[in-house]
Amino acid sequence: MSFTGKYELQSQENFEPFMKVLGLPEDQIQKGKDLKSISEIVQDGKKFKVTVTTGTKVLKNEFTIGEETEMELLNGEKVKTVVQMEGNNKLVTQVKGMKSVTELNGDTITHTMTLGDLTFKRVSKRI
C-alpha cells in the first residue's frame, strides 16, 4: 500500500491540550487550531518525504524506514528517531516519550500522537 498523495485535515481531537504539553505559546495554539492543514507524502520504497502545510507554516521531514533520521517536531525542535513500518499501512516512531502512529486505510490517514495519558488525533482524507 502506498502512502503517496495529498491529504487534507478533516478533524482533530485534543489539539489545544497536546500543544500546551509540547510547550507551544498560547497565541500559536489559538492561531493553529482552526487552520486547515494539507499533508503531502511521497513514498519511494522505504524512503518517505512528508510535507505538512498549515497556514504559512511548512514542516518537512524525510526518512527511510528502519534508519535513524533527524525530524522536526510540531514545536520546531529537531530530534533523532527511527520510523518503523508495521504491516503495510502503519508508520510508528517514538520521540521523547511520545508515540506517533500514522495509519493509512483506503483514502484516510489517521495520525495519533500519545504522550502519557494524553492522545492527539488527526484524521485526513486524500484529495
Side-chain angles (χ1 to χ4, degrees), residues 94-127:
Q94 296 268 356
V95 179
K96 297 185 74 171
M98 176 176 62
K99 183 174 185 180
S100 171
V101 178
T102 303
E103 186 170 4
L104 177 63
N105 286 306
D107 286 336
T108 303
I109 279 191
T110 304
H111 185 197
T112 308
M113 288 178 276
T114 307
L115 190 58
D117 57 2
L118 184 60
T119 299
F120 171 45
K121 182 175 171 184
R122 296 166 53 98
V123 178
S124 301
K125 289 245 190 274
R126 194 184 299 262
I127 52 176

Side-chain angles (χ1 to χ4, degrees), residues 1-5 40-51 61-69 71 83-85 91:
M1 187 177 291
S2 177
F3 281 79
T4 297
E40 185 171 4
I41 302 173
V42 177
Q43 180 183 358
D44 180 12
K46 291 186 167 198
K47 292 182 190 251
F48 285 78
K49 286 183 186 173
V50 180
T51 306
N61 282 308
E62 293 185 29
F63 59 90
T64 301
I65 298 298
E67 293 181 14
E68 187 176 69
T69 189
M71 295 180 89
V83 180
Q84 301 291 352
M85 178 84 84
L91 301 172

Side-chain angles (χ1 to χ4, degrees), residues 34-94:
D34 297 321
L35 290 175
K36 276 296 175 204
S37 177
I38 302 287
S39 301
E40 185 171 4
I41 302 173
V42 177
Q43 180 183 358
D44 180 12
K46 291 186 167 198
K47 292 182 190 251
F48 285 78
K49 286 183 186 173
V50 180
T51 306
V52 180
T53 306
T54 308
T56 58
K57 183 166 173 50
V58 179
L59 186 67
K60 290 184 180 188
N61 282 308
E62 293 185 29
F63 59 90
T64 301
I65 298 298
E67 293 181 14
E68 187 176 69
T69 189
E70 185 175 81
M71 295 180 89
E72 187 177 345
L73 301 179
L74 296 167
N75 61 3
E77 184 180 354
K78 291 188 183 339
V79 294
K80 291 202 181 298
T81 188
V82 177
V83 180
Q84 301 291 352
M85 178 84 84
E86 288 183 7
N88 64 352
N89 70 329
K90 200 182 280 190
L91 301 172
V92 180
T93 190
Q94 296 268 356

Side-chain angles (χ1 to χ4, degrees), residues 20-39:
K20 281 181 182 157
V21 169
L22 286 183
L24 255 67
E26 187 65 33
D27 61 323
Q28 281 186 15
I29 293 171
Q30 292 308 315
K31 277 196 302 197
K33 70 177 184 175
D34 297 321
L35 290 175
K36 276 296 175 204
S37 177
I38 302 287
S39 301

